[in-house]
Amino acid sequence: MFGFGDLGVWSAYAFTIFSVLICILYGILKWNETDEDTKETGK
Amino acid sequence: MSGLYLLIVVVVYFAITAFFGWLGYKQTNNAEDYLVAGRKQHPVVMALSYGSTFISTAAIIGFGGAAAVYGMGLMWLTGLNIFVGIFLAFVFFGKRTRKIGLNLNAHTFPELLGKRFDSKFIQTAAGLLIFIGMPIYAGSVLIGGSQFMSQYLGLDYGAALLIFTVITAVYVIFGGLKGVMYTDAFQGALMLVGMGLLLYFAYSAIGAGVTGAHQKLTDMGSLVPQAFKVQGHQGWTSMPVAGSKMWLEMITQLALGVGVGVLAQPQLIVRFMTVKSGREINRAVPIGGIFIFMMVGVAYTVGSLSNVYFLNNPEYKTISIEAAKMEAAKKEGKLYIPPAAPAETKPAAAPAAKITPAALPGAKQPPAAPQKSIKPRGAITDNIIPLFITKAMPAWFIPIFLVTLLAAAMSTLSSQFHTMGTAIGRDVYEQGLGGKGNTVLITRTGMTVSILISLFIAYSLPFFFDQGSAIIAIGTALFFGICATAFTPMYFSALFWKRATKQGAISGFIAGLSVCLFWLFFVQVKEAKPIGLCKLIFGVDSLAGNSNLQYLDQMIISLPVSIIVTIIVSLLTKAPAQEHIDKCFNGVEKA
């Protein structure tokens, strides 16, 4: 339990870390995804 | 801490900030550069700018201090801030905002709403609401930053306020959004370093590793003061009792109000319009997520853990809030004895009388005589993080952390100045009233007016309210709440619901705003009590009486009202022209 007193606080940390991981994973997976505006600039 | 070292660090910080402001000025050639940073910003700049605008000093000092009282349950707010304020905001709202904004050639958030619903009224009303509401929030941030400068640099409050305002105003007025975003990115990077070091030094100061430090805090559960226990406090690593006063405050006001309230912040939304494609927003998501984690997550963790540090510190031997009270008494030449010394800790026997309601977060402080020279004052919880920094951190780190906090305040403030200026200049005067002239000049004039109003509020408010930095919390809550209620349904339907009509959007806006203001002024005691209108008219602090309804965040009531009214009125009125909808949503599904 990482020293936490109850599941509520443990869940708060778990939810926070989950949220960060989702952000990281999304960014990596979509890193090179282009759309029509990306193409317009030619970059 | 050497005064010269502190001065050098502050001067270097201001010099680098000025350089980035100047860079923005040099690269600003037209209205698009000035209003939406040329729509070609780098994702790192965009993400850091978004994050540093999002996080002000209040989030670090105020909420960090609140965590020292409430405990680690506040981490729910961090999770919500990241999941809602970054992931959902960027992925689902950001890309559509950027694309629709580009399709409609919108330069501000009110302009986006106005053009999407083909309504000058919406643009003008949204611009006016920002112009009227945001100076209170900006004034609050100004008070926080100036009190902070005054306290640590030994300046008079008025002088600190003037320096702080002028430096920020110069780079905003001349540099436009490019100047704001470049300085934000620098300030955001500085904040990342400062908060990263703070986390490391906090665990080091406790000296028991990560899990060990948490365990020590858990073991302190029996030291929770009786006054907190009756409100539902069960220890700093446990959630408060479900449904208790503390639970309601933590979950509804903080988590929902600030966590969900970030979705419709005009100063944040405009950043989505500063990048050239959806790819940049994708790349900004991880940076934004990590940034918020390092700001809010670290503040809450360190704030909670400060209890362990102060208990083990021979100078205090008590919990954080008592240590802060001891320190405050010491400064006044008085002796304050905390209610329960650790050697004789018997929680049940701890004399609760020593803990006054004034010590609780958001509680009214005892009245004091009006002062001619304003000195830094504030809720006792706001002193916890600064005291912890002073006592537990290495001397060389203290000035670094001070500029970290300055950076947090300035990055938020600069964006507020820019948003207020564009609201009154671009949205109200130029677009709403049909004023003619140079857009940049009009916006600069609007900014100057807004800054002067904020400056007046920041200078005069502390004379009228003896609430210290409680004003900061109230001002922030007011603005976040108003934006969340008035703008969220309209913004959401603008991006996702093609059937939403102008009439529906306007009705939802007015209904939500009315309920929101009623709840803030007459029911939600945290705001209603210091505002005093309810007491003046009805003779009570809150119309909710003693029921727990007084702790319920206005958003829980007003947001559903606003959503329902928007939907019903939209369905009852004529659908928008297909041609207009096609123009708005051109390429959006692929974005």
Side-chain angles (χ1 to χ4, degrees), chain B residues 71 75 90 115 131 146 186 190 193 225 229 241 256 302 358 371 375 407 447 470 530 544:
Chain B
M75 281 302 284
F90 278 47
K115 287 189 169 173
F131 179 68
S146 306
F186 158 65
L190 185 65
V193 173
K229 277 185 182 169
V241 176
L256 286 177
V302 170
Q371 298 180 4
K375 290 176 183 171
M447 270 177 206

CSV table of all heavy atoms in Angstrom, one decimal, chain B residues 71 75 90 115 131 146 186 190 193 225 229 241 256 302 358 371 375 407 447 470 530 544:
chain,number,residue,atom,x,y,z
B,71,GLY,N,-4.6,16.5,4.0
B,71,GLY,CA,-3.9,15.2,3.8
B,71,GLY,C,-3.9,14.9,2.3
B,71,GLY,O,-4.3,15.7,1.4
B,75,MET,N,-5.0,14.3,-3.5
B,75,MET,CA,-4.4,13.9,-4.8
B,75,MET,C,-5.5,13.6,-5.8
B,75,MET,O,-5.2,13.5,-7.0
B,75,MET,CB,-3.5,12.6,-4.6
B,75,MET,CG,-2.2,12.9,-4.0
B,75,MET,SD,-1.2,14.0,-5.0
B,75,MET,CE,-0.6,12.9,-6.3
B,90,PHE,N,-7.1,18.4,-24.1
B,90,PHE,CA,-6.2,18.5,-25.3
B,90,PHE,C,-6.8,17.6,-26.4
B,90,PHE,O,-7.0,18.0,-27.5
B,90,PHE,CB,-4.8,18.0,-25.0
B,90,PHE,CG,-3.9,19.1,-24.4
B,90,PHE,CD1,-4.4,19.8,-23.3
B,90,PHE,CD2,-2.6,19.3,-24.8
B,90,PHE,CE1,-3.6,20.8,-22.7
B,90,PHE,CE2,-1.8,20.2,-24.3
B,90,PHE,CZ,-2.3,21.0,-23.2
B,115,LYS,N,-18.6,33.2,-33.4
B,115,LYS,CA,-18.7,32.9,-34.8
B,115,LYS,C,-19.3,31.5,-35.0
B,115,LYS,O,-20.0,31.2,-36.0
B,115,LYS,CB,-17.3,32.9,-35.4
B,115,LYS,CG,-16.8,34.3,-35.6
B,115,LYS,CD,-15.5,34.4,-36.4
B,115,LYS,CE,-15.2,35.8,-36.8
B,115,LYS,NZ,-13.9,36.0,-37.4
B,131,PHE,N,-14.1,40.3,-19.0
B,131,PHE,CA,-13.5,41.6,-18.6
B,131,PHE,C,-14.0,42.0,-17.2
B,131,PHE,O,-13.2,42.6,-16.5
B,131,PHE,CB,-14.0,42.6,-19.6
B,131,PHE,CG,-13.5,44.0,-19.3
B,131,PHE,CD1,-12.2,44.3,-19.4
B,131,PHE,CD2,-14.4,45.0,-18.9
B,131,PHE,CE1,-11.7,45.6,-19.1
B,131,PHE,CE2,-14.0,46.3,-18.6
B,131,PHE,CZ,-12.7,46.6,-18.7
B,146,SER,N,2.5,39.7,-5.0
B,146,SER,CA,3.1,40.9,-4.4
B,146,SER,C,3.4,40.7,-2.9
B,146,SER,O,4.4,41.2,-2.4
B,146,SER,CB,2.2,42.1,-4.6
B,146,SER,OG,1.9,42.3,-6.0
B,186,PHE,N,9.6,29.5,-20.5
B,186,PHE,CA,10.7,29.6,-19.6
B,186,PHE,C,10.3,29.4,-18.1
B,186,PHE,O,11.0,28.7,-17.4
B,186,PHE,CB,11.4,31.0,-19.8
B,186,PHE,CG,12.3,31.4,-18.7
B,186,PHE,CD1,13.4,30.7,-18.3
B,186,PHE,CD2,11.9,32.5,-17.9
B,186,PHE,CE1,14.2,31.1,-17.3
B,186,PHE,CE2,12.7,32.9,-16.8
B,186,PHE,CZ,13.9,32.2,-16.5
B,190,LEU,N,11.3,26.5,-15.4
B,190,LEU,CA,11.9,26.8,-14.1
B,190,LEU,C,11.0,26.1,-13.0
B,190,LEU,O,11.6,25.6,-12.0
B,190,LEU,CB,11.9,28.3,-13.9
B,190,LEU,CG,12.5,28.9,-12.7
B,190,LEU,CD1,14.0,28.6,-12.6
B,190,LEU,CD2,12.3,30.4,-12.6
B,193,VAL,N,11.9,22.4,-12.7
B,193,VAL,CA,13.1,22.2,-11.9
B,193,VAL,C,12.9,22.4,-10.4
B,193,VAL,O,13.2,21.6,-9.6
B,193,VAL,CB,14.2,23.1,-12.5
B,193,VAL,CG1,15.5,23.0,-11.6
B,193,VAL,CG2,14.6,22.8,-13.9
B,225,PRO,N,-6.0,16.8,15.2
B,225,PRO,CA,-6.7,17.6,16.3
B,225,PRO,C,-8.2,17.3,16.3
B,225,PRO,O,-8.8,17.0,15.3
B,225,PRO,CB,-6.5,19.0,15.8
B,225,PRO,CG,-5.3,19.0,15.0
B,225,PRO,CD,-5.3,17.7,14.3
B,229,LYS,N,-11.1,16.3,13.6
B,229,LYS,CA,-11.8,14.9,13.6
B,229,LYS,C,-13.3,15.1,13.5
B,229,LYS,O,-14.0,14.3,12.8
B,229,LYS,CB,-11.5,14.2,14.9
B,229,LYS,CG,-10.1,13.5,14.9
B,229,LYS,CD,-9.9,12.7,16.2
B,229,LYS,CE,-8.6,12.0,16.2
B,229,LYS,NZ,-8.2,11.5,17.5
B,241,VAL,N,-14.2,11.0,6.4
B,241,VAL,CA,-15.4,10.2,6.4
B,241,VAL,C,-16.4,10.7,5.3
B,241,VAL,O,-16.6,11.9,5.2
B,241,VAL,CB,-16.1,10.4,7.8
B,241,VAL,CG1,-17.4,9.7,7.9
B,241,VAL,CG2,-15.2,10.0,8.9
B,256,LEU,N,-14.1,18.9,-7.9
B,256,LEU,CA,-14.9,19.2,-9.1
B,256,LEU,C,-14.8,20.6,-9.5
B,256,LEU,O,-14.6,20.9,-10.7
B,256,LEU,CB,-16.4,18.9,-8.7
B,256,LEU,CG,-16.8,17.5,-8.6
B,256,LEU,CD1,-18.2,17.3,-8.2
B,256,LEU,CD2,-16.6,16.8,-10.0
B,302,VAL,N,4.1,17.0,-0.8
B,302,VAL,CA,5.1,17.7,0.1
B,302,VAL,C,4.3,18.4,1.3
B,302,VAL,O,4.7,18.3,2.4
B,302,VAL,CB,5.9,18.7,-0.6
B,302,VAL,CG1,6.7,19.6,0.3
B,302,VAL,CG2,6.9,18.0,-1.6
B,358,ALA,N,-10.6,29.6,13.4
B,358,ALA,CA,-9.8,30.4,12.5
B,358,ALA,C,-8.7,29.7,11.8
B,358,ALA,O,-8.1,30.1,10.8
B,358,ALA,CB,-9.3,31.6,13.2
B,371,GLN,N,-5.4,48.9,8.1
B,371,GLN,CA,-4.0,49.3,8.1
B,371,GLN,C,-3.7,50.3,6.9
B,371,GLN,O,-4.3,50.1,5.9
B,371,GLN,CB,-3.1,48.1,7.9
B,371,GLN,CG,-3.2,47.1,9.0
B,371,GLN,CD,-2.4,45.9,8.8
B,371,GLN,OE1,-1.6,45.8,7.8
B,371,GLN,NE2,-2.4,44.9,9.7
B,375,LYS,N,0.7,44.8,5.0
B,375,LYS,CA,1.7,43.8,5.2
B,375,LYS,C,1.2,42.5,4.8
B,375,LYS,O,0.0,42.3,4.7
B,375,LYS,CB,2.1,43.8,6.7
B,375,LYS,CG,2.8,45.1,7.1
B,375,LYS,CD,3.1,45.0,8.6
B,375,LYS,CE,3.8,46.3,9.0
B,375,LYS,NZ,3.9,46.5,10.5
B,407,ALA,N,7.7,32.8,-10.8
B,407,ALA,CA,7.4,32.3,-12.1
B,407,ALA,C,5.9,31.8,-12.2
B,407,ALA,O,5.2,32.1,-13.2
B,407,ALA,CB,8.4,31.2,-12.5
B,447,MET,N,-5.9,46.0,-22.9
B,447,MET,CA,-5.0,45.4,-21.9
B,447,MET,C,-4.6,46.4,-20.8
B,447,MET,O,-4.6,46.1,-19.6
B,447,MET,CB,-3.7,44.9,-22.5
B,447,MET,CG,-3.8,43.5,-23.0
B,447,MET,SD,-2.3,43.0,-23.8
B,447,MET,CE,-2.9,41.8,-24.9
B,470,ALA,N,-7.0,34.6,1.8
B,470,ALA,CA,-8.3,34.0,1.5
B,470,ALA,C,-9.0,34.6,0.3
B,470,ALA,O,-9.7,34.0,-0.4
B,470,ALA,CB,-9.2,34.1,2.7
B,530,PRO,N,-17.8,35.7,3.3
B,530,PRO,CA,-17.0,36.9,3.2
B,530,PRO,C,-17.6,38.0,2.2
B,530,PRO,O,-17.4,39.2,2.4
B,530,PRO,CB,-15.7,36.4,2.6
B,530,PRO,CG,-16.0,35.0,2.1
B,530,PRO,CD,-17.1,34.5,2.9
B,544,ALA,N,-28.6,28.1,3.3
B,544,ALA,CA,-28.7,26.7,3.6
B,544,ALA,C,-28.7,26.4,5.1
B,544,ALA,O,-28.8,25.3,5.5
B,544,ALA,CB,-27.5,26.0,2.9
